[in-house]
Amino acid sequence: MASFVSTDCVLPSHQSGFGFVHGQDRFCGRSNILHLQSDCKSPRSLSFLLSVQDIKPHVAVRSKGRSSLSRTAAVRHLTGSVTRTHGLRFAVVVARFNEIVTKQLLEGALGTFKNYLVQDIDVVWVPGSFEISVVAARLGKSGKYHAILCIGAVIRGDTTHYDAVANSAASGVLSAGLNSGVPCIFGVLTCDDMDQALNRAGGKSGNKGAEAALTAIEMASLFEHHLK
Ligand SMILES: Nc1c(NC[C@H](O)[C@H](O)[C@H](O)CO)[nH]c(=O)[nH]c1=O
Ligand SMILES: CC(=O)[C@@H](O)COP(=O)(O)O
């Protein structure tokens, strides 16, 4: 909706005679971006015919040579809620390689889902972390899930194979999320040794599977409740 108001503003001399003032629309009282079109030649004090469009509220009207904060723009914060899980569906893709670790990561994740009343979960097993992303992509494109949790444990050996698997898993999970539009959560450990991995799968460093499940819940809620 466009409504026209007029006001006197003192603005820096405009070459183009056009500009923007963020101000208040007298008719509806909402602060908006005001498109300015100068209708006089004076470079210093210009009276403007303002066209107002209903655009996201902004701030600060410069008038009479003084800048003033006319009103604070309304700012909305959108956050997924971990307490709004009813109806949310999840898939978990878990690698069997280093199962002594990934099984505990999975148990941590399922425990989190249970604690947050998630009732719809499919668990898909794959041979290794390298295979996670192609399955995550397929599940994402199925349209059946609100988020996909990817779990694995890549542990460095004697060769550079670790780098190939770890980097492929990370970029693959990222691509699966971007291409499918469904949040794909990276719960794949990349560790120098088994102790590091076990410490993060229910040991003294916590359970990264449980943490990643909470991320999956928040992202599923954000997309379902705010970004549709
Ligand atoms: N060394 C690890 C692997 N290697 C296997 C690969 O993930 C993949 O299955 C294979 O290259 C065939 O495509 N996988 C892990 O998850 N963790 C490792 O430490
Ligand atoms: C991450 C791996 O692929 C690695 O565990 C394999 O071990 P290695 O580098 O000794 O072949």
Side-chain angles (χ1 to χ4, degrees):
M1 174 195 74
S3 56
F4 289 83
V5 298
S6 66
T7 182
D8 279 330
C9 298
V10 177
L11 295 172
S13 59
H14 269 280
Q15 301 309 323
S16 67
F18 289 84
F20 292 85
V21 164
H22 304 134
Q24 183 158 22
D25 178 342
R26 290 181 188 158
F27 301 115
C28 62
R30 289 175 51 188
S31 60
N32 291 287
I33 288 180
L34 313 178
H35 295 269
L36 309 179
Q37 183 171 349
S38 65
D39 60 1
C40 78
K41 300 294 177 269
S42 158
R44 290 302 302 159
S45 167
L46 302 171
S47 65
F48 288 87
L49 184 63
L50 309 177
S51 70
V52 177
Q53 293 177 5
D54 275 338
I55 297 178
K56 202 172 168 184
H58 275 258
V59 187
V61 174
R62 175 184 290 278
S63 60
K64 306 290 182 244
R66 294 188 311 279
S67 67
S68 64
L69 198 60
S70 64
R71 65 186 302 150
T72 304
V75 177
R76 293 186 307 152
H77 294 263
L78 306 180
T79 307
S81 168
V82 295
T83 58
R84 287 184 69 185
T85 61
H86 179 72
L88 296 181
R89 299 184 303 278
F90 296 87
V92 183
V93 187
V94 52
R96 196 174 302 111
F97 204 107
N98 291 321
E99 190 177 355
I100 187 173
V101 177
T102 61
K103 190 166 59 175
Q104 295 184 87
L105 293 172
L106 176 63
E107 285 172 12
L110 295 178
T112 295
F113 284 135
K114 181 181 179 183
N115 291 341
Y116 286 85
L117 307 181
V118 171
Q119 295 172 330
D120 197 334
I121 309 162
D122 289 338
V123 177
V124 182
W125 287 88
V126 295
S129 295
F130 189 85
E131 284 74 38
I132 288 174
S133 43
V134 66
V135 172
R138 175 64 61 88
L139 295 171
K141 289 172 183 170
S142 74
K144 291 171 57 180
Y145 304 102
H146 293 96
I148 294 156
L149 173 58
C150 302
I151 287 177
V154 185
I155 301 174
R156 193 181 299 275
D158 299 332
T159 70
T160 59
H161 194 242
Y162 164 90
D163 300 295
V165 174
N167 292 333
S168 301
S171 58
V173 169
L174 174 63
S175 297
L178 294 174
N179 293 334
S180 67
V182 174
C184 289
I185 310 307
F186 189 69
V188 178
L189 298 181
T190 54
C191 300
D192 288 326
D193 54 48
M194 183 58 79
D195 282 346
Q196 280 186 359
L198 291 172
N199 282 339
R200 288 157 179 77
K204 63 182 180 182
S205 300
N207 190 308
K208 298 304 179 184
E211 293 176 23
L214 206 52
T215 299
I217 292 171
E218 178 178 345
M219 289 298 287
S221 170
L222 176 64
F223 272 62
E224 180 64 11
H225 302 132
H226 296 296
L227 302 183
K228 282 184 88 168

Short mmCIF file of all heavy atoms in Angstrom, two decimals, residues 88-90 146-147 183 215-225:
data_model
loop_
_atom_site.label_atom_id
_atom_site.label_comp_id
_atom_site.label_asym_id
_atom_site.label_seq_id
_atom_site.Cartn_x
_atom_site.Cartn_y
_atom_site.Cartn_z
N LEU A 88 7.22 -33.80 14.39
CA LEU A 88 8.50 -33.70 13.68
C LEU A 88 9.07 -35.10 13.42
O LEU A 88 9.06 -35.95 14.31
CB LEU A 88 9.49 -32.86 14.49
CG LEU A 88 9.11 -31.39 14.70
CD1 LEU A 88 10.20 -30.67 15.50
CD2 LEU A 88 8.85 -30.69 13.37
N ARG A 89 9.57 -35.29 12.21
CA ARG A 89 10.10 -36.60 11.81
C ARG A 89 11.58 -36.49 11.50
O ARG A 89 12.02 -35.55 10.83
CB ARG A 89 9.33 -37.09 10.57
CG ARG A 89 7.84 -37.27 10.80
CD ARG A 89 7.16 -37.85 9.58
NE ARG A 89 7.38 -37.01 8.39
CZ ARG A 89 6.67 -35.92 8.12
NH1 ARG A 89 5.73 -35.50 8.96
NH2 ARG A 89 6.91 -35.20 7.03
N PHE A 90 12.34 -37.44 11.99
CA PHE A 90 13.79 -37.40 11.86
C PHE A 90 14.33 -38.69 11.25
O PHE A 90 13.77 -39.78 11.46
CB PHE A 90 14.45 -37.19 13.23
CG PHE A 90 14.11 -35.87 13.86
CD1 PHE A 90 12.95 -35.75 14.63
CD2 PHE A 90 14.91 -34.77 13.68
CE1 PHE A 90 12.62 -34.53 15.19
CE2 PHE A 90 14.59 -33.55 14.25
CZ PHE A 90 13.44 -33.42 15.01
N HIS A 146 11.98 -33.89 8.70
CA HIS A 146 12.20 -32.47 9.00
C HIS A 146 13.68 -32.17 9.24
O HIS A 146 14.11 -31.02 9.14
CB HIS A 146 11.38 -32.08 10.23
CG HIS A 146 9.90 -32.11 9.98
ND1 HIS A 146 9.10 -33.19 10.31
CD2 HIS A 146 9.09 -31.19 9.41
CE1 HIS A 146 7.85 -32.93 9.96
NE2 HIS A 146 7.81 -31.73 9.41
N ALA A 147 14.45 -33.17 9.58
CA ALA A 147 15.90 -33.00 9.72
C ALA A 147 16.54 -34.39 9.66
O ALA A 147 15.88 -35.41 9.95
CB ALA A 147 16.26 -32.32 11.04
N PRO A 183 17.50 -29.63 6.78
CA PRO A 183 18.69 -29.55 7.65
C PRO A 183 19.36 -30.90 7.81
O PRO A 183 18.72 -31.87 8.22
CB PRO A 183 18.13 -29.03 8.97
CG PRO A 183 16.87 -28.33 8.62
CD PRO A 183 16.30 -29.06 7.44
N THR A 215 20.62 -30.25 18.16
CA THR A 215 20.73 -29.34 17.02
C THR A 215 19.71 -29.71 15.95
O THR A 215 19.05 -28.85 15.37
CB THR A 215 22.15 -29.40 16.44
OG1 THR A 215 23.08 -28.98 17.44
CG2 THR A 215 22.28 -28.50 15.22
N ALA A 216 19.55 -31.00 15.72
CA ALA A 216 18.59 -31.47 14.72
C ALA A 216 17.17 -31.05 15.11
O ALA A 216 16.38 -30.60 14.27
CB ALA A 216 18.68 -32.98 14.57
N ILE A 217 16.83 -31.17 16.38
CA ILE A 217 15.49 -30.78 16.84
C ILE A 217 15.27 -29.29 16.65
O ILE A 217 14.24 -28.85 16.11
CB ILE A 217 15.30 -31.16 18.32
CG1 ILE A 217 15.28 -32.68 18.49
CG2 ILE A 217 14.03 -30.54 18.87
CD1 ILE A 217 15.32 -33.13 19.95
N GLU A 218 16.24 -28.47 17.04
CA GLU A 218 16.08 -27.02 16.89
C GLU A 218 15.95 -26.62 15.43
O GLU A 218 15.08 -25.82 15.06
CB GLU A 218 17.27 -26.28 17.52
CG GLU A 218 17.16 -24.77 17.35
CD GLU A 218 18.28 -23.98 18.00
OE1 GLU A 218 19.01 -24.55 18.84
OE2 GLU A 218 18.41 -22.80 17.66
N MET A 219 16.75 -27.21 14.57
CA MET A 219 16.70 -26.84 13.15
C MET A 219 15.40 -27.32 12.51
O MET A 219 14.79 -26.61 11.70
CB MET A 219 17.90 -27.43 12.43
CG MET A 219 19.22 -26.77 12.76
SD MET A 219 19.24 -25.04 12.28
CE MET A 219 19.36 -25.23 10.50
N ALA A 220 14.94 -28.50 12.91
CA ALA A 220 13.67 -28.99 12.37
C ALA A 220 12.53 -28.06 12.76
O ALA A 220 11.67 -27.71 11.95
CB ALA A 220 13.41 -30.40 12.88
N SER A 221 12.55 -27.60 14.01
CA SER A 221 11.52 -26.68 14.47
C SER A 221 11.63 -25.33 13.77
O SER A 221 10.62 -24.75 13.35
CB SER A 221 11.64 -26.48 15.99
OG SER A 221 10.81 -25.41 16.42
N LEU A 222 12.84 -24.84 13.61
CA LEU A 222 13.02 -23.54 12.93
C LEU A 222 12.43 -23.58 11.53
O LEU A 222 11.67 -22.70 11.13
CB LEU A 222 14.51 -23.20 12.87
CG LEU A 222 14.89 -21.92 12.11
CD1 LEU A 222 14.32 -20.69 12.80
CD2 LEU A 222 16.40 -21.82 11.95
N PHE A 223 12.75 -24.66 10.80
CA PHE A 223 12.25 -24.75 9.43
C PHE A 223 10.75 -24.97 9.40
O PHE A 223 10.03 -24.36 8.61
CB PHE A 223 12.97 -25.90 8.71
CG PHE A 223 14.25 -25.49 8.05
CD1 PHE A 223 15.31 -25.00 8.79
CD2 PHE A 223 14.41 -25.59 6.67
CE1 PHE A 223 16.50 -24.61 8.17
CE2 PHE A 223 15.60 -25.21 6.05
CZ PHE A 223 16.64 -24.72 6.80
N GLU A 224 10.24 -25.83 10.29
CA GLU A 224 8.81 -26.17 10.26
C GLU A 224 7.93 -25.04 10.77
O GLU A 224 6.86 -24.76 10.23
CB GLU A 224 8.56 -27.43 11.11
CG GLU A 224 7.11 -27.88 11.16
CD GLU A 224 6.55 -28.31 9.81
OE1 GLU A 224 7.35 -28.45 8.86
OE2 GLU A 224 5.32 -28.48 9.69
N HIS A 225 8.39 -24.36 11.82
CA HIS A 225 7.53 -23.37 12.48
C HIS A 225 7.79 -21.93 12.05
O HIS A 225 7.00 -21.03 12.35
CB HIS A 225 7.70 -23.49 14.01
CG HIS A 225 7.36 -24.85 14.52
ND1 HIS A 225 8.20 -25.55 15.41
CD2 HIS A 225 6.33 -25.69 14.24
CE1 HIS A 225 7.66 -26.74 15.67
NE2 HIS A 225 6.53 -26.84 14.98
#
